[in-house]
Every structure is written in C-alpha cells, then in structure tokens.
Amino acid sequence: GQNIDQPTEMTATEGAIVQINCTYQTSGFNGLFWYQQHAGEAPTFLSYNVLDGLEEKGRFSSFLSRSKGYSYLLLKELQMKDSASYLCAVRDLGGSYIPTFGRGTSLIVHP
Amino acid sequence: DVKVTQSSRYLVKRTGEKVFLECVQDMDHENMFWYRQDPGLGLRLIYFSYDVKMKEKGDIPEGYSVSREKKERFSLILESASTNQTSMYLCASSLEQGAESVQETQYFGPGTRLLVL
C-alpha cells in the first residue's frame, strides 16, 4: 500500500502562485494523479504523472520526482474559482492498479 | 464527455434499513468503484468491479455489498444501515483494467450524501 501525505489546508491570494505538495511511500510506483474537488461536487481529473518532470496544462502544472517520492501541483494566476480541495492519488504495482487517495488539501483563495 | 450518474444526491434512512445506492455510467467503462468520503479521512475505497458480475473488496468493505449485473450499472448495498455509515458516497468509473496509462483516470459521479438516523 501507500502512505500519502499532503497539507490539510492552504490559503493564497487571487493572482498569486501556490504550490501544493504531495509525498508518498509505495512499494512500486505506477503513476500519480491530481484531482480537483469543489465543495459538494465530484472530483475532476487535473493531471497524471508517471515519469519524472513537469507536466504543464494551462495555469496548472504538476511535477513528479520518483526518487524522492514527491509531487507538487502548481497553480498560477489564482482565481477565486480555484478555491477547492486538491486530491493526490498514487497507484502502485499491486494487482488492482487502483490509486490510493491522500486526504486532500483544501485551498482557499481570497481577494 | 463521460457521464457518471448516481440515483440520489441526498438520502435519509433509519438505522437497520436496507439501502441501495445506484450508479450508472454511459461510456462503456470496464471498471467501476464505490468510495466513501469523510472529513479528515479522504476518499476510501469500499468495493470495485472490473467486469460484469465481478467484484473485489476495497479497503473498507465491512457492512457493504455490491452488485454489477450490467456493465453500465454498479450498485452499493447497505444491508442494515448504521449511524457510522453516514457519509458522502462517490461512484467512479474508468476505462481499462490494468492499463498503465492515463486511461486509468477515474470519472466520478456527483455523490450521494447519506444520513443514517
């Protein structure tokens, strides 16, 4: 199984940049997902990393270092609508291929 | 777009009642999942299914059962609801089983908030 750790809550200012970290321990890494979940809504897919490096997608980027068991989600030009929970999920080489979710980071963007 | 729907957004039941939560996906996905989400605990996997009539226990299957008679439908059953099953229940689906790629991305339904009194 995995041990996934991410901060419980973060706050940031509109227009700023915020980095949400996720560390994990796994017996055999096989991919990391980031999801966004607004209050009362379903999680929606943001990004997927399986190789080291940075994946950029508009205002959002996700970074992975497999050797360090570390990922971050970078949000640029923050908007009020970015206030949400951000879920890190890690898949390992176990038989089920199902990701295990971290507890999520609640991001509050204020004016 | 993938669409995952759940039968109810809000549900109130009494202790001991049998509860059925229904989930339907319209994209011919192989895999379907049931999670519960609780504050401070995140998403926890209850059961999953990778084919019709197939089911596998997740991390917290106790007190739950599932049924998958058709590919598009995955039901979660609480045989005798208890107050500690008050939670948000999320259904999800994904395309391929065992694919080592982004095709394993899960698509979630809107959730059912269950209150057991």
Side-chain angles (χ1 to χ4, degrees), chain A:
Chain A
Q2 302 95 343
N3 185 18
I4 301 168
D5 193 36
Q6 47 181 136
T8 303
E9 188 175 290
M10 299 180 71
T11 59
T13 306
E14 193 175 15
I17 299 172
V18 72
Q19 177 175 310
I20 302 174
N21 296 326
C22 173
T23 58
Y24 62 88
Q25 295 172 327
T26 181
S27 52
F29 177 81
N30 193 25
L32 185 146
F33 298 82
W34 283 98
Y35 287 83
Q36 180 191 58
Q37 185 179 24
H38 285 101
E41 297 182 12
T44 55
F45 170 75
L46 286 178
S47 68
Y48 173 76
N49 295 72
V50 68
L51 300 176
D52 290 350
L54 189 68
E55 295 278 343
E56 295 187 78
K57 198 183 289 186
R59 293 190 298 115
F60 292 9
S61 304
S62 57
F63 172 83
L64 175 68
S65 168
R66 288 173 295 172
S67 63
K68 294 181 180 177
Y70 168 67
S71 172
Y72 67 72
L73 182 69
L74 192 71
L75 291 74
K76 302 176 185 176
E77 301 169 14
L78 279 172
Q79 301 175 9
M80 299 296 289
K81 67 178 183 180
D82 296 330
S83 293
S85 281
Y86 291 87
L87 312 178
C88 173
V90 177
R91 185 173 63 197
D92 69 15
L93 290 171
S96 70
Y97 289 89
I98 297 173
T100 297
F101 284 82
R103 298 183 180 188
T105 299
S106 177
L107 174 66
I108 300 167
V109 179
H110 55 82

Side-chain angles (χ1 to χ4, degrees), chain B residues 61-95:
Chain B
E62 296 79 18
Y64 304 94
S65 62
V66 290
S67 172
R68 191 157 181 210
E69 296 296 318
K70 294 184 178 181
K71 190 174 185 179
E72 67 271 18
R73 187 179 298 269
F74 193 34
S75 303
L76 180 70
I77 304 153
L78 287 66
E79 293 290 342
S80 178
S82 63
T83 54
N84 63 12
Q85 292 179 310
T86 291
S87 186
M88 168 70 91
Y89 289 89
L90 288 162
C91 174
S93 70
S94 68
L95 180 60

Side-chain angles (χ1 to χ4, degrees), chain B residues 1 9 11 14 22 34 47 56-57 74 87-88 94 98 101 110 112 114 116-117:
Chain B
D1 276 355
R9 290 300 303 270
L11 211 51
R14 297 208 174 270
E22 304 285 338
W34 275 106
Y47 267 96
E56 296 283 346
K57 292 180 180 179
F74 193 34
S87 186
M88 168 70 91
S94 68
S101 74
T112 296
L114 173 66
V116 182
L117 300 173

